[in-house]
Amino acid sequence: MDKKIPRILFAAPKSGSGKTMITCGMIEVFKRRKQAVAALKCGPDYIDPLFHQSVLGVASGNLDTFFTDEEMTRYLLWERAKEVDLTILEGVMGYYDGMGGQSERASTYEVAKVTKTPVILIVDGKGASVSLAAMIKGMCEYRTDSGIKAVLLNRVSAGYYERLKGLIERECGIRVLGYLPELDEIRLSSRHLGLLPPDRIKDWKGMVAGIADAIEKTVDVEALQAMAEEAVPLALITTPDLPCLPQPVRIAVARDEAFSFYYAENLALLSKMGAEPVFFSPLHATHLPEEIDGLLLGGGYPEQYAEALDTTVLKQEIRQAIADGLPCLAEGGGFLYLQDELEGMDGKQYHMAGVLPGRGYRTQGLKRFGYLEVTNRTPGVLGERGQTMKGHEFHYWDCTQNGEDCIAKKPDGSKEYPCMIHTASYAVGFAHLYYYSNPDMIYQFLLSASRFQAGREARQHWDRIAKPIDSLGWLEDSVVRIAGMVNSAQPYDLQKRALLIFCGDHGVVQEGVTQTGSEVTQIVGENFTKGCSSVNIMARSAKVDVYTVDMGMDTLIYPTKTYVQGAMIDRKIARGCHNIARESAMSMAQCRQAVTAGSDAVQELKRQGYHILATGEMGIGNTTPTSALAAILLDLTPSMVTGKGAGLSDAGLHRKCQTVELAVDRVKKLALHPLTQPMEILAEVGGYEIAAMAGAFLGGVKYHMPLIIDGAISAVAALVAARIDQRVPDYVIASHESEEVTGKLALQALGVEAILHGRMRLGEGSGAVAVLPILDMAMDIYTQMGSFSEYEIAPYIRYEEGE
């Protein structure tokens, strides 16, 4: 079924023809006629919709065929137009001017063509006569489907208009619907368009009223109305299938004189997916809104208000909130506000929020102007590596640290460059992103906000329990962390739990770095399946199911392929890794296979109903690759990260240090960067069971499963996973601080704290299993203990620092 949507588009042969003033004047005219009017701007411009908004009293919006495909573009028009009497579109630049000045892509013409909207061509008539007819004829005939239905002349006198009208209609075969004389309002305002928002222009509404008065005298408004009414009906648009949060989140949105650049469609999309925007002013507010779950800092003019922003108390609160993990998106001016310093319009340096260590400064001209596609180089708050969103840049300020976590590409492929800082909790940069170009990326941000909300609500629940605030320390923190992992502050069932033990052998045993030979790996691994190892006894006590997986033991292939207890599960990649002192531990294909196997194990056990997983490993010699990984990832010397493992002598420790040094030196010659090439480093000096554990931690992120880190090997595997996906630390719980120094160093790098300090060095998952009964106690208190109000006790007050 088609729907009639009255609509009209005002376009021009070039910029500066008066589109914005005439569009706003027309809006005012139709409002005076008691019509409900909507407005849309073609292209990525923020300023012109602000002019529309000042007249309409409601948000305007943007239509851009670079940002969205044809179907989505029509849907966005439908959304804006479906509940009003008339929709007025304003063109951008010249009618056919598209991307890069070389095509019609994303031009006003393309928007008109996609939306089947009648076009009124605004022509600046000053200083020309017959040439106007030639130009208009060319505009109409340049494309056979130009869509231009009529002409409106600007800056012509009343006496000259009738002659021009007759000439144009006779020569071009197109109607001329009226004119506007040269008005002071238009001349005055045109100096500011694209530079200042309407609230910075004196008596803006009075100017628009004057334009509307002139239009009613000299323009055939009824004919315009008729053309809008005759617009081709649009087929009923299918609403996009958007994901939506099960529970709303509150997103604090900065909006004041300094921060005003937001695509209306972006804010609407946030609301559709479960966000409640809560507006606040970084310039004037003394506190962030209460109980927020995310932060949005849009573009604007912070440089014009740098001195005032420097003196606000709110910037410290914003810095602390982001440090505490509050998810944040910032672009343009919002990005500059997060820097340590910003150069103001007066050339002086001012202190900003200090979230980022950079300094914003003025440049000599426009920096990095135009459309772009932003692609994640690293997973983070906007989703996985490789995800792409479209956007736009336009700024005269730059900063010393623009970020390298994403790649910006020009649509024509002529240029690409690193951009943005993309972490597990924030994505910030100069690019202004259009959310409808990839709603799934923004939904990932909202999921982060939802997980933050779950942790916040869990902390509030702890504060209501009848005990001193934070008195259970790590126990409280762990329950709060689990709430964030599973995206729910409700009590979490820890009783269905399992231990994953990955097994593999290592060629580095040839270097004499162990007391025993590789054959012991098979013996101990098969003991796990028989239930007779020490970790099995601990697991039975802690009511933990045990799954043993052969990732690369030097044995024949085991027959069991499915995840069952009491058998060795076959995921063998090869019969042991190579000797890392001499060559790569495995190929990249083998490394990816091992990582995938670990992630798949998490998926499978979640499918079987498990709610929390402990990690373990078995592999004679595997503390040596663990030390090599730690040395490279943490940029430490081999002696600083190498311990005696399973009871080496001093001489054995010396050989082990030399072996680690050989492995590290070999990798250094390959010039692999530990921050950007963790998988390559894992393939060089890791092991199949280590890679599988890293994959399990990555699976924790992917499948929202809490995972418990065991000892040194497990901790380093988690560190590798965190270098691959920086969200990993948000999904792990550290059980104990291993006697092996690598364990402590890896946990410090991950930013997680262990509860046990038992001088353990066994591995196999023993520490991870040992901590589960303690987590049971924490969850039982969280679930069963009464509140202050139930016990009729005056509650403790949580004071903020400095209170």
Side-chain angles (χ1 to χ4, degrees):
M1 178 181 176
D2 294 345
K3 179 175 173 60
K4 183 178 180 182
I5 297 180
R7 60 197 185 277
I8 202 81
L9 190 156
F10 291 103
K14 62 182 179 66
S15 296
S17 299
K19 293 190 299 292
T20 298
M21 290 301 295
I22 290 175
T23 298
C24 291
M26 286 292 181
I27 292 169
E28 176 64 18
V29 167
F30 285 111
K31 282 187 64 180
R32 290 175 181 180
R33 298 182 179 206
K34 306 303 181 184
Q35 294 203 39
V37 185
L40 286 163
K41 172 71 178 180
C42 300
D45 184 83
Y46 283 110
I47 299 292
D48 287 352
L50 292 177
F51 281 87
H52 302 163
Q53 180 177 340
S54 72
V55 176
L56 288 167
V58 297
S60 181
N62 294 75
L63 288 183
D64 192 304
T65 50
F66 170 71
F67 289 159
T68 54
D69 62 22
E70 292 187 8
E71 184 68 17
M72 185 67 81
T73 301
R74 285 190 288 268
Y75 165 75
L76 293 173
L77 169 61
W78 176 282
E79 278 288 284
R80 182 64 64 196
K82 64 184 180 181
E83 296 180 355
V84 298
D85 302 318
L86 174 67
T87 302
I88 297 178
L89 283 68
E90 179 189 343
V92 60
M93 299 189 297
Y95 184 51
Y96 294 106
D97 297 338
M99 292 191 306
Q102 301 293 316
S103 76
E104 297 158 4
R105 175 80 193 282
S107 66
T108 303
Y109 158 73
E110 188 172 74
V111 172
K113 182 179 177 181
V114 165
T115 62
K116 299 179 174 60
T117 300
V119 177
I120 307 299
L121 190 68
I122 297 171
V123 178
D124 185 347
K126 185 172 183 179
S129 56
V130 178
S131 296
L132 291 177
M135 186 268 292
I136 293 168
K137 189 176 182 66
M139 291 292 295
C140 293
E141 296 180 0
Y142 182 71
R143 291 290 181 262
T144 56
D145 58 351
S146 73
I148 299 172
K149 303 299 183 183
V151 172
L152 185 62
L153 298 176
N154 188 21
R155 299 208 303 167
V156 299
S157 66
Y160 203 37
Y161 169 68
E162 289 301 328
R163 283 182 286 173
L164 285 176
K165 172 180 168 67
L167 170 69
I168 292 168
E169 292 185 338
R170 181 175 65 253
E171 295 293 336
C172 302
I174 192 169
R175 293 179 65 185
V176 181
L177 299 184
Y179 73 98
L180 280 177
E182 187 166 11
L183 301 174
D184 289 342
E185 291 92 333
I186 294 180
R187 183 170 64 249
L188 177 63
S189 298
S190 65
R191 297 205 305 266
H192 300 288
L193 296 184
L195 298 177
L196 294 175
D199 60 6
R200 299 289 303 280
I201 299 176
K202 185 178 180 181
D203 194 25
W204 161 244
K205 290 192 175 182
M207 293 180 185
V208 173
I211 297 296
D213 291 342
I215 287 172
E216 293 194 297
K217 294 175 183 176
T218 60
V219 175
D220 188 346
V221 177
E222 286 72 21
L224 275 169
Q225 175 87 51
M227 286 185 177
E229 295 284 349
E230 293 166 3
V232 176
L234 288 181
L236 187 62
I237 305 299
T238 302
T239 301
D241 185 15
L242 298 172
C244 186
L245 298 174
Q247 178 174 315
V249 295
R250 286 166 53 86
I251 305 297
V253 181
R255 188 161 71 180
D256 56 20
E257 305 94 303
F259 305 96
S260 59
F261 293 173
Y262 295 98
Y263 290 119
E265 296 78 30
N266 284 358
L267 298 179
L269 181 61
L270 289 175
S271 297
K272 287 178 182 293
M273 293 195 295
E276 176 192 346
V278 183
F279 296 100
F280 76 102
S281 169
L283 267 175
H284 307 299
T286 55
H287 292 287
L288 284 166
E290 293 183 354
E291 297 192 336
I292 57 171
D293 310 305
L295 177 63
L296 190 58
L297 298 169
Y301 302 108
E303 67 277 5
Q304 295 186 9
Y305 302 91
E307 183 175 8
L309 289 169
D310 186 351
T311 60
T312 63
V313 296
L314 186 59
K315 66 180 184 180
Q316 287 89 356
E317 188 172 322
I318 288 175
R319 179 171 64 245
Q320 188 59 53
I322 294 175
D324 290 341
L326 181 72
C328 174
L329 299 180
E331 54 189 36
F335 176 54
L336 288 174
Y337 176 63
L338 293 180
Q339 305 296 318
D340 188 41
E341 290 185 342
L342 174 62
E343 178 183 354
M345 292 291 290
D346 57 6
K348 297 179 181 178
Q349 298 296 321
Y350 295 97
H351 290 291
M352 294 292 106
V355 173
L356 307 171
R359 178 178 62 84
Y361 59 91
R362 190 171 191 166
T363 65
Q364 296 301 311
L366 188 62
K367 291 289 290 183
R368 293 190 295 275
F369 164 74
Y371 289 116
L372 45 79
E373 293 180 323
V374 175
T375 302
N376 292 344
R377 297 175 69 186
T378 59
V381 73
L382 288 179
E384 305 303 318
R385 177 187 288 108
Q387 287 288 301
T388 296
M389 191 181 298
K390 295 178 179 179
H392 187 265
E393 279 187 324
F394 188 103
H395 53 98
Y396 289 86
W397 259 249
D398 206 340
C399 74
T400 55
Q401 297 192 32
N402 283 307
E404 298 184 347
D405 296 329
C406 300
I407 288 291
K409 294 183 180 180
K410 289 297 182 182
D412 61 2
S414 63
K415 185 179 181 182
E416 66 176 58
Y417 47 89
C419 70
M420 298 190 66
I421 300 171
H422 185 218
T423 75
S425 61
Y426 57 80
V428 298
F430 276 116
H432 295 275
L433 302 174
Y434 195 81
Y435 299 170
Y436 267 106
S437 66
N438 191 341
D440 286 341
M441 290 179 71
I442 293 303
Y443 186 65
Q444 292 304 312
F445 166 72
L446 293 182
L447 281 176
S448 292
S450 184
R451 291 191 289 272
F452 183 88
Q453 178 190 70
R456 174 175 59 78
E457 291 178 348
R459 177 67 67 192
Q460 291 171 343
H461 181 73
W462 274 117
D463 288 355
R464 289 191 293 268
I465 291 175
K467 60 167 192 58
I469 287 177
D470 297 337
S471 56
L472 290 176
W474 185 95
L475 300 183
E476 296 187 38
D477 292 343
S478 294
V479 174
V480 170
R481 286 173 56 78
I482 289 172
M485 295 173 197
V486 302
N487 197 11
S488 174
Q490 295 300 310
Y492 189 65
D493 181 9
L494 298 173
Q495 299 313 302
K496 182 73 171 174
R497 59 238 202 154
L499 168 64
L500 269 169
I501 306 177
F502 297 106
C503 305
D505 277 314
H506 296 264
V508 76
V509 170
Q510 302 164 10
E511 303 293 326
V513 295
T514 62
Q515 274 200 33
T516 61
S518 295
E519 70 278 357
V520 175
T521 304
Q522 178 183 2
I523 296 169
V524 176
E526 291 182 353
N527 282 342
F528 294 149
T529 67
K530 299 171 186 176
C532 60
S533 181
S534 57
V535 75
N536 296 106
I537 297 169
M538 297 174 68
R540 284 194 291 272
S541 176
K543 297 180 175 59
V544 178
D545 296 335
V546 178
Y547 293 86
T548 312
V549 187
D550 173 21
M551 293 302 307
M553 291 195 296
D554 188 10
T555 65
L556 297 175
I557 296 175
Y558 291 90
T560 304
K561 308 300 180 184
T562 58
Y563 269 83
V564 295
Q565 299 180 67
M568 184 68 71
I569 302 161
D570 172 50
R571 292 294 185 273
K572 189 189 298 293
I573 295 171
R575 293 186 63 161
C577 290
H578 300 301
N579 183 353
I580 63 170
R582 312 296 172 182
E583 58 185 322
S584 302
M586 64 194 94
S587 70
M588 272 302 300
Q590 290 173 322
C591 186
R592 292 192 186 97
Q593 184 181 349
V595 168
T596 300
S599 179
D600 288 348
V602 175
Q603 181 185 31
E604 172 59 24
L605 292 185
K606 183 168 185 177
R607 188 189 66 79
Q608 292 187 25
Y610 288 96
H611 295 154
I612 188 166
L613 301 178
T615 57
E617 43 62 42
M618 179 59 210
I620 296 300
N622 62 8
T623 59
T624 300
T626 298
S627 295
L629 285 168
I632 296 166
L633 295 176
L634 301 176
D635 194 23
L636 298 173
T637 63
S639 62
M640 296 173 67
V641 294
T642 306
K644 290 188 174 182
L648 282 178
S649 65
D650 289 344
L653 176 60
H654 180 69
R655 286 193 302 274
K656 187 175 178 181
C657 279
Q658 288 182 319
T659 301
V660 172
E661 193 168 325
L662 285 172
V664 171
D665 288 345
R666 185 177 58 77
V667 172
K668 284 184 176 179
K669 291 177 182 177
L670 299 174
L672 297 176
H673 197 293
L675 292 177
T676 58
Q677 296 172 289
M679 280 284 284
E680 289 81 353
I681 294 168
L682 180 61
E684 287 295 327
V685 297
Y688 294 128
E689 81 280 26
I690 299 172
M693 276 199 298
F697 291 119
L698 293 170
V701 177
K702 187 174 183 179
Y703 303 111
H704 309 298
M705 173 73 82
L707 267 78
I708 303 176
I709 297 173
D710 182 37
I713 300 164
S714 178
V716 170
L719 179 60
V720 173
R723 292 295 175 85
I724 297 170
D725 188 334
Q726 55 200 324
R727 298 170 294 181
V728 164
D730 293 335
Y731 287 85
V732 298
I733 296 170
S735 61
H736 73 108
E737 191 174 289
S738 173
E739 190 71 358
E740 282 285 302
V741 66
T742 46
K744 180 178 181 178
L745 293 171
L747 294 183
Q748 288 175 346
L750 287 165
V752 295
E753 181 184 5
I755 186 173
L756 301 176
H757 302 269
R759 301 197 307 277
M760 298 175 66
R761 63 172 75 217
L762 177 60
E764 303 178 1
S766 51
V769 168
V771 82
L772 276 164
I774 301 175
L775 285 175
D776 288 341
M777 298 176 200
M779 195 61 72
D780 285 346
I781 297 170
Y782 183 79
T783 304
Q784 300 171 21
M785 190 168 177
S787 66
F788 287 106
S789 60
E790 290 172 331
Y791 295 163
E792 298 182 349
I793 301 173
Y796 285 85
I797 297 173
R798 176 178 289 280
Y799 290 107
E800 300 300 328
E801 187 175 345
E803 289 185 311

